Amino acid sequence: MSQVGQITGSVYDHCQLKFINFQAHENHISHETQGLSKKHLVVRRGKPFQLTLMFDSRWNPQTESLVLEVCLGSMSQRIPVQLSDEWSAPQSWSAKIYPGNMHHQSVTIHICSPVLSSVALYELLLHIETKQNRRSCTVGTFVLLCNPWLKSDPVYMPHEVQRQEYVKSDYGVVYMGTDLNVSKRPWSFGQYEPGVLEACLKLLHVSPQHLRDKHKDYLRRADPVYLSRVVCAMVNCNDDLGVVEGRWQGNYKGGVSPAEWSGTADILRRWASSNCKPVQYGQCWVFASVLCTVMRVLGIPARVVTVFNAAHDTDATLKIEECYSSTGEKLNWSKDSIWNFHVWVECWMRRPDLGAVFDGWQVVDPTPQEKSAGIFCCGPCPVFAIQQQIFHLPYDTPFLYASVDADIVRLIVRNGQFVGRKVDNESVGQLICTKRINSDEPEDVTQAYKGVWEPEIVRSYARTVGQPAAEVRMFQGEKLPGLEVSLNINGVPSLGVGIRMCVTVTNRSRIARVLMEHVNAQMKEYNRGPQECFWKTHRELHIQSFEVLTLHHTIAPCEYESFLAGDDIVNLAVVIKDMWTEERVLATREFSMSSQQITIEIEGGDTIQMNQEHTAHVSFTSKLTKTLNEAVLTVSGSGLLQGKHQTRLVHLKPGEKIEKKVSIMATSPGTKLLMATISHSNSPSSFAKSFHKVSVKPV
């Protein structure tokens, strides 16, 4: 990368700047920024980078001084270029020429920013000064990012394998479904796609903080806590010119269904090219994945985290009420809710504002649920503060703690009266996971959120800041009933196979009982209450004193195939009623249906060369018991295919195959995803969906 500077001032009998070499290739390798931009030099703060100046005649350091000037908004900093044979970590901007870097008509300058410099696009000027005059020219621009490789940077991450995974990797996996049946959704973060870095910088440039006070915003951008809060709010569009518009129900006409996205690059480029019009539509995993991309681009280590059975506690009671009818039907009566899964981001940084014990992973949640200090953002909140229940720390600790550790109070309702009650203090946050380093398998991080409470650490910190220590919530156990019931799912429920369940009823009293069993199955969305019941059964039971009954039920494929598609979630509930005492007990389970796999194979393997055509074979064989009418196989892939490629069958019978051959070609290196879906006339959404990872090597 080179650029000719524009000289201003009068012409004298001194050297003139002829050419500037940014040494982009060498600098990008040294700064771990290869591939982030073809337009700009991209470097990391606190680490020297170099550029070479070429003159039309010999530069004389005895009579001509070189002064660089770095500009950011209305701020500027003059940097006298010094001749030196040693390097010292600067507290301010510095520029040095080492022995051996001066030649007949060129000189190489090593420039270094302070470690706490602001993340931004800078302008660089050069002044050639003598006692009589000064000539100036614009050298060009460069982007300065955080530096997780530098120990003194607040985002420093100590292990290289972590930096490769949480900063440089452009591929991730989002975990969805339920804790009983976790599904994987690959995601292309796309930080090396053309235009993505520029979109991230634009996001900072149009934030409310920047539009309100550019000078203050530039100064505060040195702080990763501030940066993460600004970016978090800008990922959603609820109160700014943000990137993604959320929609959780209804149709997605005029936009893209959240389930159709497989990468960030398309989203950021659409937003940037539309004059900051929000991209339609997103849900939690889309918001989180976009945020993860932006943070990695800015140099802040980040990872996507899924909380299974996440509580949305709108009234801050740390309790979520769920109501069921006396026959086991779940009712939509509560403003609070349990999301089967919720996806947020953890960002790695030090917290000098809180104390070293709170350094490390911080939760940042861009999904617009509740306001934080008047805006729709959440965090950064130390994971350790959530674990230790220190609710007064910034930011949003009580809300996030409830997400992973609230109680569920399940009520049985009959004729407007509560006739049964059970407190569940285990289900919320039962599994919290993220992608394992160098693997697509999940890493269980539940204990980081719900591990051992350390009262000495909490009290010590509380005394230091003059705040009371967190109170430990103690719950009295429910009065043990004479009846107990549990509900378990056998195996992993899959489309085309019967759903098998086991109900265990225990009579802890000394008398025999006559019971009525009600079992109810409803479809539901992951973040909302259940829909209509699609299967139910009931029967009378006789149980002896201290007896344990084991009851088995199966929902046959023909009983659910008209209602369920791949990854749909089922709420299953059983209510046992004592016919004499009218005592009622309840057990529930929610699980997701595994979809059938769509086979995707690439001729020659999954690693391809850039700018070369390759062939992909996509096929699906139906294992259902019924015929799918108007079946459509759709293949798409950002960075691999233009648009969507489809093939259709009027009738896809059980055991039959639908297939499609497509030619793919990548124009940029990195990790890409091919996505294939099956839909049919009776399914409003995709019936089955599969992803295939493709690694693209540069030419």
Side-chain angles (χ1 to χ4, degrees), residues 387 404 429-433 443-451:
Q387 183 200 67
V404 302
Q430 194 164 41
L431 175 62
I432 305 172
C433 62
E443 175 186 350
D444 188 340
V445 296
T446 310
Q447 288 304 304
Y449 287 84
K450 305 177 72 167

Side-chain angles (χ1 to χ4, degrees), residues 314-335:
T314 58
D315 53 8
T317 61
L318 297 178
K319 288 183 173 62
I320 308 295
E321 287 190 348
E322 293 185 344
C323 296
Y324 288 79
S325 73
S326 59
T327 59
E329 182 181 357
K330 192 174 184 180
L331 308 171
N332 288 306
W333 283 13
S334 176
K335 290 191 299 181

